[in-house]
Amino acid sequence: MPVVNPEKLIGLQRNADEVRNICILAHVDHGKTSLTDALIATNGIISPKLAGKIRYLDSRPDEQLRGITMESSAISLYFSMLRRSAPEASPIQKEYLINLIDSPGHIDFSSEVSTASRLCDGALVLVDAVEGVCSQTVTVLRQTWTEHLKPLLVINKVDRLVTELKMSPGEAYTHLSKLLEQVNAVIGSFFQGERMEENLQWRERVEERVAAAAAKEAERAERKAARTATGSVTEESESMITGNTDGEFEEKDDEDLYFAPEKNNVIFSSAVDGWAFTVRQFASLYEKKLGIKRSILEKVLWGDFYLEPKTKRLLGSKHLRGRALKPMFVQLVLDNIWAVYEATTGGNKGKGDPAMVEKITKSLSLAIPPHVLRSRDPRAIMTTVFSAWLPLSTAILVSVIEHLPAPPASQASRLPALIESSPGGSLVDPRVRDAMVNMKSSKDDPIVAYVSKMVAVPENELPHNKRKGGGTMTGEEARDMARKKRAQFEKAQAATNGDTQDSLDGITVALGEATIESVNGGPDTEIDQEEDTEHLIGFARLYSGTISVGDSVYVFSPKFSPAHPHAVPEPQKVTVTGLYLLMGRSLEALTSVPAGVVFGIAGLEGHVLKSGTLCSQLEGSVNLAGVNMGSQPIVHVALEPVNPADLEKMIRGMKLLEQSDPCAQYEVLESGEHVILTAGELHLERCLKDLRERFAKCEIQAGEPIVPYRETIVSTAEITPPKNKDLARGTVIGITTSKQITVRLRVRPLPNAVTEFLEKNVAAIRRLYSERKAEEGNKQGSVADGEHGEERVEADEILAAETGLLSLLDFREKLRAVLAEAKGQENIWAGAVEKIAAFGPRRTGPNLLIDVTETGTCQKFLQEAHEPDDLDRTESQTESVMEQDLKPSSDTLTPRDFSDKISYAFQLATAQGPICHEPMQGVAVFLEEVIVTAPSDEESSAREKLGRLTGETIKTVRDSIRQGFLDWSPRLMLAMYSCEIQASTEVLGRVYTVLSRRHGHILTESLKEGTPFFTILSLLPVAESFGFSDEIRKRTSGAAQPQLVFSGFELLDEDPFWVPRSEEELEDFGTLGDREMVSKKYMDGVRKRKGLLVQGRRVVADAEKQKTLKR
């Protein structure tokens, strides 16, 4: 097919009804990129013979090497077809622009799927016909559900049912039916969950209305009790209450949600063999032959419908009367496809039948070139027959155009809910809302665009840096190249140290490196620096208005709220320096872009970190918020340059990588280490490769992966006696160095249900803390207006981004209910909710500081502003405490003066536990008593004494909490991956061997019906996961591919400090107990990395032989 001119694609952008924005989503290796190749071949960009082999959109070398997609890529395609405006009208040729985004399927790059789906209106969801619904299939289906994308199901690799599983057409039909049921079951679970949530909210609203009506009637009854009869009031109240609740819960119809071939939203395909079809295609083929209307055939070609051979009548399953007829889908569709495979490749016979091929081509009226029929390659004959009979691109693109919405229809249905759920959605300017929903694209309409991610593009790939006219150089380019060669020649000469051979080698290398592609350069001294500079291009979608090069727009971060548009940091205005049409491996320059188009935008470098919103106005603008990433970065690796002089290069490169990768994060630890956070091992490899070759351009060495752990405590039967027999377990009395402050506290393990509740409601705790901080600032008048604004923005953002966030009262009630469920500990936790002073670490973690002192030392966290500071405090005590608070210059120190110090020490202790300085989890600290015995000193005021005692108090409380922690039985909690592996029976044992060696344990094992594949679901420690995928592939010869998803932290039930004590233990483990313990191995590894003392570690081994080692 001839190559489509980019100018034609640019012209099609103006007609929004003929534009389709789609993405291809699937599990890894289900055929997304091969399918994309077949579609790209229709525009003449690649040869149809290379479709599925060249992997055009996998532009990175490591993507081609590994055979998987790592970055989502976009390309614009042209497609024309004949369409009728009415059934009787003559067909008219219509032209369409299809903006296609190919996304990765590996779990490490699921953030790329999130960024791609937000920009699109519809999605092609691919499912492997053999492997069926896998873990990422469920993830991408959930993505289409949450983003309200209209999906098309493509059942790909149907050829494997013929060639690998050797199924008959009847068996294949049964298999495909079950596969379709599995996909629909996933969609049904999403619908059911949403309806249950809506039903619960409806019931709560009804109960609130009933309670309000009852309270109102009670007040009215009290007022009229002296004058009105009780019966009439009761009748009136009952009628009022029933009148408020006669509206019943509306059930929604879910019929349109599911995939069904008769609805033409299911496509059967084989991307590698180049064919695809829908039921509608075969209905039109058989319409004249059977004399049945196409609309009827579309409904009966799939399902339990049969064709009577003699009368050509359609029969249902009830009218078979014992006859062994094939379903119509088998008889009219699958039998023919199986016949083509058998005639060309031989099927089970192993040899094709030329006579059968000729017969098939004649019956289907296909024109096959003679040289193809004479070919000795049976696949060439097969692909030619299929491409002429059932071309893949036609089936896919026609379905996309007919069933997926155009941008105007999609925005009208999707955007109202998206705007309402955005931060400060109710304050969006009606003009902006109307322009977005109705997709207005005139110059006067407000510009609203969403940037989903930033893409790094080398400078020599930008359109204005590409040479025109093929391989011929202009005179200016030739002079530039000569100047560059001379500069490198002189540089090589200057670098020599008198060695002639080295000099010649350097000159040869310098001349060899000066290629035609590197002509564009600056002055001689800056040539090396300017070559291959990376530029960041925004991957964006325009929702309203028309944006042009030179326009100025505001850039909003994900925390922006229209409620406080001028809050710090105030949004900045940037100038658009470039607009691009995304064409896979290349970019085409644009002057302007209308609404409804996916495009690239330059000029945002330094203003957009990962995602953002562009708007032409500040007041009443909209923030389309951040993308919900499928996987959070869990693997931390410290990096350092091989040459210390390249440190600045590395830092600059890591900042650039953080901007260009949706999931990667860059941090600098307190120790000065430069750490990169990635989603998994494969993601880490890609990031390191990008850093070395593109962003930093220097040699970088990576340390051992830093895996997060958690520390907790448990009570076991074999727990050691308390260290202080006079005190209860976990109780510690801490005295400061100056003997002026005495703190008594007790550490206890939290019930598991409470820990889980706190972990689920981190966002609610963060919001409560933000509100509390803002209230304190308002009371004291010591917080600047900008800081108030920032806190309000953060609170608004959290409120809008998190659905179902608990209010203060709801949070208290639910926490109280969870604490009450702790069996045998009701007395311990009674009234604890009202006395919670802080959460930790970072003020939002799953640990509690509970103030049980008599005078109420610390301020209570979970209380309303109008409630007293301590529920147990008398009025006189409250007044005296208030007086003390209002007299900061008092000469006497009280325990309340140290409340913030105690809270800060609690944060420090929970952030770094005593086992290996990892965060604590599931620990409650009861503050029982604080005694201040500071001597009266006339020479220094109380404020000066407080300053001196601050450090002592923090250190004493922190160490006391750690001592109380160790009084229990300490445990490490391991970060765990949920591991899903598909493997055949031949390699099942090897998979189990690798899992057991890495301390993984199997959860479930199930055989996929109709296939020889087992699906194994297991848990694997993140610390043991490095190299796991490679080992699985090597041991199984590539037959098994694991998918690792972070699933949280799990308790490792081993005490890392355990030593043998009883006679039996000494006999089994020896006096040293030196048999390797898993928990001790993990603990020692973390302590060694952090520079902490490791018990039993020999610093110097064989000291007398150290002198013989090389220096």
Side-chain angles (χ1 to χ4, degrees), residues 642-895:
V642 174
N643 182 3
D646 292 333
L647 181 61
E648 286 300 323
K649 276 188 182 180
M650 189 191 77
I651 294 173
R652 187 168 59 249
M654 290 178 79
K655 289 179 179 177
L656 199 59
L657 174 69
E658 185 182 24
Q659 284 184 284
S660 64
D661 193 302
C663 194
Q665 294 179 16
Y666 164 55
E667 289 182 359
V668 180
L669 302 184
E670 294 178 358
S671 59
E673 291 177 294
H674 298 273
V675 173
I676 186 171
L677 286 71
T678 62
E681 189 179 8
L682 184 59
H683 187 209
L684 172 64
E685 286 182 29
R686 191 193 80 179
C687 290
L688 290 176
K689 183 178 176 64
D690 283 349
L691 267 178
R692 292 181 179 124
E693 298 178 3
R694 295 176 60 189
F695 300 134
K697 294 182 183 175
C698 64
E699 282 301 314
I700 294 173
Q701 58 186 16
E704 289 294 319
I706 304 170
V707 179
Y709 294 87
R710 295 290 182 268
E711 301 181 17
T712 189
I713 50 177
V714 294
S715 178
T716 59
E718 300 175 356
I719 193 169
T720 56
K723 293 176 182 174
N724 191 337
K725 297 180 180 179
D726 298 332
L727 299 173
R729 183 179 297 280
T731 303
V732 179
I733 298 176
I735 303 173
T736 60
T737 312
S738 61
K739 313 292 184 187
Q740 297 182 26
I741 310 291
T742 304
V743 178
R744 178 190 174 104
L745 52 84
R746 185 174 185 186
V747 178
R748 283 182 177 276
L750 273 175
N752 291 333
V754 179
T755 307
E756 292 174 7
F757 174 80
L758 295 177
E759 286 180 325
K760 288 178 182 176
N761 293 279
V762 169
I765 299 171
R766 188 185 295 117
R767 178 177 60 83
L768 294 175
Y769 173 74
S770 298
E771 291 176 354
R772 176 57 50 82
K773 193 172 179 182
E775 286 174 10
E776 289 177 358
N778 289 332
K779 286 179 183 177
Q780 298 174 2
S782 60
V783 181
D785 292 337
E787 293 175 349
H788 279 315
E790 190 175 356
E791 290 295 331
R792 287 194 296 269
V793 170
E794 191 170 338
D796 287 344
E797 187 268 329
I798 295 164
L799 268 169
E802 299 290 334
T803 55
L805 214 58
L806 296 176
S807 65
L808 175 59
L809 293 175
D810 291 339
F811 182 83
R812 276 201 315 203
E813 291 302 319
K814 292 196 175 184
L815 181 57
R816 190 180 290 113
V818 174
L819 283 170
E821 292 174 1
K823 294 181 180 179
Q825 300 181 16
E826 292 83 359
N827 296 332
I828 298 171
W829 305 108
V833 174
E834 289 77 12
K835 298 175 183 177
I836 293 176
F839 296 87
R842 296 184 179 180
R843 301 183 179 87
T844 58
N847 302 287
L848 300 179
L849 174 63
I850 302 173
D851 181 11
V852 293
T853 55
E854 294 181 358
T855 57
T857 302
C858 299
Q859 185 181 5
K860 304 304 178 283
F861 188 84
L862 298 177
Q863 66 176 6
E864 297 281 3
H866 56 80
E867 293 178 353
D869 197 20
D870 195 322
L871 300 179
D872 299 328
R873 189 185 295 147
T874 63
E875 188 175 348
S876 60
Q877 287 175 330
T878 305
E879 290 177 359
S880 64
V881 168
M882 288 176 64
E883 288 176 3
Q884 291 173 4
D885 289 342
L886 294 171
K887 295 179 181 178
S889 60
S890 172
D891 290 336
T892 57
L893 291 175
T894 64

Side-chain angles (χ1 to χ4, degrees), residues 284 369 408 441 546 581 623 734 754 807 820 894 915 940 969 1053 1079:
S284 60
S441 57
T546 298
L581 177 70
N623 178 15
V754 179
S807 65
T894 64
I915 300 178
S940 60
S969 186
D1053 200 12
S1079 59

Side-chain angles (χ1 to χ4, degrees), residues 125-316:
V125 179
L126 269 67
V127 178
D128 191 315
V130 174
E131 295 183 7
V133 176
C134 299
S135 58
Q136 277 297 96
T137 311
V138 178
T139 303
V140 299
L141 284 171
R142 183 180 290 111
Q143 193 71 34
T144 61
W145 181 267
T146 54
E147 293 288 347
H148 302 288
L149 300 180
K150 189 171 182 181
L152 275 178
L153 179 66
V154 181
I155 300 179
N156 195 27
K157 300 191 181 183
V158 179
D159 59 290
R160 293 182 67 188
L161 303 180
V162 188
T163 57
E164 289 184 27
L165 301 186
K166 311 292 184 186
M167 286 185 175
S168 67
E171 293 170 341
Y173 171 69
T174 306
H175 180 81
L176 292 172
S177 301
K178 291 179 179 177
L179 174 57
L180 197 59
E181 289 174 5
Q182 291 175 8
V183 178
N184 284 332
V186 175
I187 297 290
S189 66
F190 299 154
F191 175 78
Q192 193 65 28
E194 189 177 274
R195 296 302 290 155
M196 289 175 67
E197 186 177 348
E198 290 176 358
N199 189 10
L200 179 62
Q201 292 174 355
W202 176 82
R203 289 180 182 278
E204 289 177 351
R205 288 196 300 270
V206 169
E207 289 173 2
E208 288 175 3
R209 287 202 299 269
V210 170
K216 194 173 182 180
E217 284 303 307
E219 291 177 7
R220 188 179 297 174
E222 289 177 3
R223 289 198 304 267
K224 296 183 179 180
R227 297 172 294 149
T228 312
T230 313
S232 62
V233 173
T234 307
E235 288 174 7
E236 188 183 351
S237 66
E238 284 179 357
S239 64
M240 182 168 233
I241 292 169
T242 54
N244 278 339
T245 59
D246 28 352
E248 295 184 358
F249 181 65
E250 294 181 7
E251 289 293 342
K252 288 184 181 178
D253 184 16
D254 60 345
E255 186 179 354
D256 295 334
L257 300 176
Y258 299 114
F259 297 109
E262 60 269 21
K263 296 179 185 175
N264 292 296
N265 59 3
V266 178
I267 303 169
F268 302 90
S269 79
S270 170
V272 72
D273 291 342
W275 60 265
F277 67 88
T278 60
V279 166
R280 174 172 291 181
Q281 281 180 269
F282 274 93
S284 60
L285 286 174
Y286 286 107
E287 182 179 12
K288 292 181 181 178
K289 189 174 182 180
L290 297 178
I292 303 173
K293 289 184 178 179
R294 190 179 75 174
S295 57
I296 297 174
L297 273 176
E298 286 178 16
K299 296 177 182 177
V300 299
L301 263 179
W302 178 269
D304 293 332
F305 296 99
Y306 305 85
L307 183 67
E308 195 171 18
K310 294 180 180 178
T311 61
K312 304 292 183 184
R313 288 175 55 227
L314 299 176
L315 302 175

Side-chain angles (χ1 to χ4, degrees), residues 278-545:
T278 60
V279 166
R280 174 172 291 181
Q281 281 180 269
F282 274 93
S284 60
L285 286 174
Y286 286 107
E287 182 179 12
K288 292 181 181 178
K289 189 174 182 180
L290 297 178
I292 303 173
K293 289 184 178 179
R294 190 179 75 174
S295 57
I296 297 174
L297 273 176
E298 286 178 16
K299 296 177 182 177
V300 299
L301 263 179
W302 178 269
D304 293 332
F305 296 99
Y306 305 85
L307 183 67
E308 195 171 18
K310 294 180 180 178
T311 61
K312 304 292 183 184
R313 288 175 55 227
L314 299 176
L315 302 175
S317 55
K318 296 179 181 178
H319 304 286
L320 283 179
R321 298 174 184 173
R323 287 177 291 182
L325 296 179
K326 295 179 181 178
M328 290 182 67
F329 190 77
V330 175
Q331 184 180 353
L332 303 180
V333 180
L334 295 184
D335 276 350
N336 293 325
I337 292 174
W338 260 243
V340 173
Y341 273 103
E342 192 165 335
T344 53
T345 60
N348 295 330
K349 298 176 184 177
K351 187 177 181 182
D353 186 354
M356 188 69 176
V357 172
E358 187 177 355
K359 184 179 178 182
I360 290 172
T361 54
K362 284 184 178 179
S363 63
L364 295 174
S365 302
L366 303 178
I368 306 297
H371 72 275
V372 174
L373 293 173
R374 292 194 300 268
S375 172
R376 294 184 178 182
D377 182 9
R379 279 194 57 82
I381 303 173
M382 177 193 66
T383 53
T384 307
V385 171
F386 273 128
S387 61
W389 179 35
L390 301 171
L392 182 141
S393 57
T394 303
I396 298 289
L397 295 178
V398 169
S399 298
V400 164
I401 288 165
E402 291 185 348
H403 297 285
L404 297 185
S410 173
Q411 289 189 198
S413 60
R414 288 180 65 203
L415 287 191
L418 189 63
I419 294 171
E420 285 301 321
S421 63
S422 67
S426 59
L427 301 172
V428 175
D429 188 348
R431 183 167 168 264
V432 173
R433 185 190 301 266
D434 179 59
M436 292 177 66
V437 173
N438 297 319
M439 212 190 84
K440 296 182 177 179
S441 57
S442 71
K443 278 284 186 181
D444 300 328
D445 291 313
I447 296 171
V448 178
Y450 176 70
V451 181
S452 68
K453 70 169 186 173
M454 301 296 287
V455 182
V457 178
E459 185 175 11
N460 58 10
E461 291 187 12
L462 294 176
H464 60 269
N465 288 334
K466 289 189 176 179
R467 282 191 302 106
K468 304 294 182 183
T472 306
M473 285 193 297
T474 64
E476 184 62 32
E477 288 174 339
R479 283 190 291 273
D480 286 343
M481 184 174 180
R483 186 170 64 248
K484 180 176 176 62
K485 283 187 176 183
R486 282 196 301 272
Q488 292 197 352
F489 183 89
E490 291 168 3
K491 183 180 176 183
Q493 263 192 333
T496 58
N497 296 321
D499 189 347
T500 309
Q501 184 61 39
D502 289 348
S503 175
L504 289 173
D505 290 345
I507 294 167
T508 306
V509 171
L511 291 174
E513 287 177 351
T515 58
I516 292 175
E517 285 78 4
S518 57
V519 168
N520 294 295
D524 296 350
T525 55
E526 297 179 0
I527 288 172
D528 292 332
Q529 296 175 359
E530 290 189 2
E531 187 179 5
D532 291 338
T533 304
E534 297 284 339
H535 292 272
L536 291 176
I537 305 296
F539 200 31
R541 159 81 181 264
L542 189 63
Y543 287 102
S544 69

